[in-house]
Amino acid sequence: MTVDSDWDDWLLRAVEDADPDGLAIWYLGCNGFILKSSGDTTVFIDPYLGIGDPPRTVRMVPVPFDPTEVQEADAVLGTHEHTDHVHGPSQAPILAGTNADYYTTDSGHDVVREEAWMDDWSVTDDQLHEVEEGDTLEIGDLTVHVEPANDPDAEHPVSYVFEHESGTFFHGGDARPGDFEPVGEEYDIDLGVLAFGTIGMIDDSDTGEPTRTQWYNDENMIVEAANDLRLDRLLPSHWDMWKGMTTEPTVLHNHANSFEYPQSLEIAKIGDRVDL
């Protein structure tokens, strides 16, 4: 599979040209992000550039870039093994073109082996690193803590806490409430990403029959998770991606209004930049 971008290369060049004072964060749609620090460290999290598996899963947002055109990356991180988080055609060309390191869990590395990243995209073994809860990574001027994640649909999910001199950023993958309270107690999180979506009728992967399906936090769950994490700012993700699962994130203003956290809601659309 090859990736065809709807946006040419303008987003990648904007990231490369950026010179943030602290930590800049670009939303890629789905649950993908690019981080760039004041120390010129560039990290991709869960970049997914596929179209899904139509008609079961249908991508509803543009493909923001061609991974073969990425020129700067220090690391790529995967939160869990699902195809929109660990995906060879989206991520292996970034590794091959930049020599970036790749971090994900054991179940994510199972996907790497099944998709033959080292054979089909010339990724080398020394680029691949397995992570688990409790690990700490030093990537440029970022310190990354690997934390638990409660995602009942995944085999081995994790979340990531990024510490930088300008603040702390959290990415929860597709996780729901359950494992976040200790994370909120340990870190002072300035901005946190949590997956948000509606409950939809999605074709069952085995029977093909439309089935009531929930993959992400609903309105009440995401506010519960934000309070467990004690988020200053909440950025909902994934709400834009799949036909039948899309929703409107501004409704969260009402759900969060009476709670202590999040203190503010950060609404980002694909291609938007947010800063710490």
Side-chain angles (χ1 to χ4, degrees):
M1 171 187 168
T2 58
V3 171
D4 294 317
S5 173
D6 302 305
W7 280 4
D8 197 26
D9 67 347
W10 71 264
L11 180 58
L12 293 177
R13 304 294 85 86
V15 174
E16 291 171 10
D17 292 342
D19 186 20
D21 291 331
L23 185 64
I25 300 156
W26 287 264
Y27 181 42
L28 304 177
C30 195
N31 220 343
F33 290 83
I34 304 174
L35 277 57
K36 187 173 184 180
S37 73
S38 54
D40 205 31
T41 299
T42 302
V43 173
F44 288 71
I45 311 166
D46 284 351
Y48 176 67
L49 307 167
I51 61 169
D53 185 21
R56 180 174 183 263
T57 52
V58 179
R59 185 184 185 107
M60 299 295 287
V61 291
V63 176
F65 62 87
D66 179 337
T68 63
E69 295 184 346
V70 176
Q71 298 176 5
E72 297 179 3
D74 295 288
V76 180
L77 279 66
T79 57
H80 62 288
E81 74 280 353
H82 290 166
T83 191
D84 53 338
H85 300 264
V86 177
H87 183 242
S90 299
Q91 297 163 7
I94 300 175
L95 306 183
T98 65
N99 201 35
D101 290 306
Y102 187 74
Y103 300 92
T104 192
T105 63
D106 49 0
S107 60
H109 282 284
D110 288 341
V111 175
V112 171
R113 288 186 286 271
E114 290 166 6
E115 293 182 342
W117 291 19
M118 289 183 284
D119 295 331
D120 293 348
W121 287 283
S122 301
V123 174
T124 60
D125 186 64
D126 62 351
Q127 291 177 270
L128 303 176
H129 310 278
E130 185 176 309
V131 297
E132 62 182 8
E133 297 86 340
D135 287 350
T136 297
L137 316 173
E138 299 293 340
I139 305 174
D141 58 340
L142 298 173
T143 298
V144 186
H145 303 279
V146 185
E147 296 293 342
N150 172 36
D151 181 353
D153 298 317
E155 183 178 338
H156 186 181
V158 293
S159 59
Y160 295 108
V161 177
F162 297 81
E163 291 186 315
H164 184 257
E165 62 182 13
S166 62
T168 301
F169 172 71
F170 173 82
H171 191 298
D174 290 353
R176 306 172 201 174
D179 288 337
F180 287 152
E181 194 168 0
V183 180
E185 292 172 351
E186 184 168 355
Y187 304 99
D188 181 9
I189 302 173
D190 297 286
L191 174 66
V193 165
L194 293 169
F196 175 51
T198 190
I199 299 172
M201 297 297 290
I202 302 296
D203 292 347
D204 183 86
S205 57
D206 295 323
T207 68
E209 293 297 318
T211 304
R212 188 178 188 275
T213 303
Q214 180 173 13
W215 286 332
Y216 316 116
N217 294 289
D218 65 15
E219 291 93 334
N220 295 307
M221 294 167 68
I222 197 171
V223 172
E224 178 185 350
N227 277 270
D228 287 345
L229 290 162
R230 307 178 188 182
L231 299 183
D232 291 346
R233 300 156 66 191
L234 166 63
L235 195 161
S237 62
H238 233 321
W239 56 269
D240 54 1
M241 185 61 178
W242 300 126
K243 183 176 177 62
M245 288 286 186
T246 60
T247 188
E248 173 49 62
T250 58
V251 302
L252 294 175
H253 286 292
N254 293 328
H255 286 266
N257 188 47
S258 65
F259 291 89
E260 183 177 3
Y261 302 101
Q263 295 175 2
S264 65
L265 187 62
E266 194 84 41
I267 303 298
K269 294 183 179 179
I270 183 171
D272 284 352
R273 171 178 166 173
V274 177
D275 287 270
L276 283 186

